[in-house]
Each structure stands twice: as C-alpha cells, then as structure tokens.
Amino acid sequence: MQEKNTKLAIVTGGGSGIGLAITEKFVAHNIRTIIIGRDRQKLDAAKDRLGALCIPVAADLSDLGAIPALVQDITTRYGRIDILVNNAGINLKKPFTEVTDQEFQQILLTNLTAVFALSREVVKQMAHSGSGAIINISSMAAQYGIPKVIAYTASKSAIEGMTKAMAVELSPQGIRVNCIAPGFIATDMSAKALDNDPERKQKVLSRTPMGMLGAPADIGDAALFLAGDAARYITGVVLPVDGGNSIGF
Ligand code: NDP
C-alpha cells in the first residue's frame, strides 16, 4: 500500500528515453512510479538506477484485453493512482504509398487505442478518489506536416483531440488532462529517424530557434509541473517543449 504523502504514478514506456527521464524526475520528488514496457531487462535496469520508488511492470500495452486486469492489479497492490503519463509510443518512417494497412493499424493500436484503453481503466480508479492528473505525449508531427510518418502523425493528432475531450469530460471528477508536445529530443527514437538522414536533421535544427535538440529531462520537468499542484488550474492544454520548433521559421 501507499505510504503517507507518497503519490503513485504510472509512466508507460518508463524504461527508456523520455519516459525514463520523466520517471527520474518523479522519483526525485518522492513519487512512487510504476514503469510499464515490454522489455523486462530495460525496466529492471531503470529500477537498478532509480531505486525502490521505481516499480517495473512488464506488459505489452497493445494487448488491450489485458489492460483492465493490469490496472486492477496495480490498484490492489499499491493503492490509488494519482498520475498517469501516456508516454509509450512507436514510430514508422516510410513513404506514404508504402505503408500497409497492418502497419498503420499497429501504430494506431500502440499510440492511440492503448492510450484510450489504459486511460479509461485508470480514470475509473481516479474517479473513486476524486482527483488525478493525466499527461499525454504528442509530437511536432501534430503541429505541422512532416513527410513519411503518416500513421504516427494520425495517432499524435488524435492524442491532442482526445486530450481536450478528456479534459472537458473528466474535470467534474477532479481529473486534469494535459498534453506535452515534445520537439526533437535526443533519444533512440529520434536517432533512428534523424541519424541516417542528415538532410532531415539539418532541417530540424534550422527551424528550431534554440538551435539544438532537447534533452529527455526537459520533458521530465514539464511532466512534473503538469502532474503537480502548481498546475492545479491547468487542464486541456498542449504544451510544446520544443526550443521553439513549432513556431520556428
Ligand atoms: P523510446 O523508443 O525510447 O521509448 C518508447 C517507449 O515506449 C519504450 O520504453 C518502449 O518500451 C515503450 N513501448 C513501445 N511500445 C510499447 C507497448 N506495446 N507496450 C508497452 N510499452 C511500449 O522513445 P522516446 O522516449 O523518444 O519516445 C517516448 C514518447 O515521446 C513517444 O510517445 C514518442 O512518440 C514521443 N516523442 C518523442 C520525440 C523524440 O524526439 N524523441 C519527439 C516527440 C514525441 P519497450 O520497448 O520495453 O516496450
């Protein structure tokens, strides 16, 4: 069960990249954080690094049918859920006409449908306590058009719409729902998209007024703020954390 004054968070994809940086911030602020991913080794490595407040749970969130029992189990073991960060996501970089229906569905399943299914189950728990903060993770792909990421763009655009709909519907239950739109952040995912494509990387940097990629910790700081009482009157926003990329010339 929860210790007094210790909040409980779930961070999906908390074993690597941006999710790991969010977990690091949460743990440093005494928030007990459950990290979910498919790769148990990655999760265990995160726990070794972050200590007892970091709790790894191996699960494939694209297995929608398993999500209700997963959330029930977390609630039974650890008590109420205060914060959910829907960070897990996958990308597919491929020309528009080469993307198969199956590939498109797979990206939407992980980046969108699983976010809905997990949020629905967590909200049922949050509603009991009359409070909660949910943070979704979008992308620059939902701010302007980026070629060769059609399914990813569809999923992230939908996440922003869902953020607003959830914020409105869940406010009466004391649940705030916000979204972070990271710019180009140095992680494995962005390395895959940029390292073999110098032209794209140059384009990214040239339209980022601050002239550099962000660090995962920059997203961690924003998530910590949106999850906490300092953001108690903020709901339904999409916060770009992007060095100005979304408004860059
Ligand atoms: P990573 O690839 O490092 O992290 C993605 C995480 O999602 C991994 O920990 C992975 O864990 C988890 N994950 C993926 N699929 C599933 C699944 N089916 N079930 C459970 N967990 C899953 O990427 P980033 O840290 O860069 O990305 C994190 C989020 O930030 C994503 O939503 C991404 O779209 C978004 N983003 C990233 C940007 C960037 O520049 N890096 C820019 C804008 C948005 P495992 O492999 O163990 O399953």
Side-chain angles (χ1 to χ4, degrees):
M1 286 299 278
Q2 251 173 292
E3 287 162 33
K4 224 175 155 210
N5 297 329
T6 307
K7 284 188 174 176
L8 186 85
I10 297 175
V11 177
T12 68
S16 66
I18 289 173
L20 179 59
I22 293 171
T23 304
E24 212 162 355
K25 291 286 173 190
F26 283 2
V27 164
H29 286 77
N30 201 36
I31 299 170
R32 180 179 292 191
T33 307
I34 292 171
I35 54 173
I36 299 177
R38 294 161 300 179
D39 181 342
R40 176 160 278 290
Q41 273 185 330
K42 213 157 68 175
L43 297 172
D44 287 344
K47 190 198 170 42
D48 288 347
R49 205 169 114 191
L50 300 182
L53 284 177
C54 172
I55 302 160
V57 172
D60 183 345
L61 293 166
S62 68
D63 180 4
L64 300 180
I67 288 179
L70 174 72
V71 174
Q72 192 54 57
D73 188 47
I74 289 171
T75 313
T76 307
R77 275 172 200 252
Y78 302 105
R80 63 185 252 183
I81 301 165
D82 300 289
I83 301 160
L84 169 64
V85 184
N86 287 308
N87 162 81
I90 51 174
N91 196 359
L92 174 72
K93 192 173 157 205
K94 227 176 170 190
F96 182 79
T97 51
E98 290 174 21
V99 177
T100 66
D101 294 341
Q102 202 190 6
E103 285 170 333
F104 191 90
Q105 290 289 8
Q106 186 58 40
I107 301 290
L108 260 76
L109 175 60
T110 302
N111 292 8
L112 181 63
T113 317
V115 169
F116 160 69
L118 181 64
S119 300
R120 182 192 59 213
E121 296 309 312
V122 168
V123 161
K124 288 178 190 169
Q125 302 299 331
M126 287 176 167
H128 289 311
S129 49
S131 70
I134 298 178
I135 297 164
N136 296 324
I137 305 291
S138 178
S139 163
M140 288 303 105
Q143 319 309 312
Y144 52 81
I146 302 180
K148 296 184 189 156
V149 285
I150 190 64
Y152 184 77
T153 300
S155 70
K156 295 301 188 181
S157 301
I159 283 290
E160 295 196 4
M162 214 157 70
T163 298
K164 291 174 195 137
M166 287 168 70
V168 168
E169 187 167 341
L170 301 176
S171 280
Q173 290 161 75
I175 301 168
R176 295 182 300 105
V177 186
N178 291 296
C179 183
I180 296 171
F184 291 83
I185 309 296
T187 67
D188 288 350
M189 184 188 279
S190 62
K192 267 186 220 148
L194 298 178
D195 284 0
N196 297 323
D197 194 342
E199 208 181 312
R200 201 168 178 109
K201 188 162 187 180
Q202 183 45 37
K203 178 128 190 172
V204 163
L205 292 174
S206 71
R207 65 163 296 166
T208 304
M210 291 181 75
M212 59 183 188
L213 298 187
D218 295 323
I219 309 303
D221 283 322
L224 183 68
F225 165 66
L226 288 173
D229 290 343
R232 62 183 279 274
Y233 198 52
I234 300 176
T235 197
V237 305
V238 177
L239 176 66
V241 179
D242 66 346
N245 180 274
S246 57
I247 49 88
F249 173 60

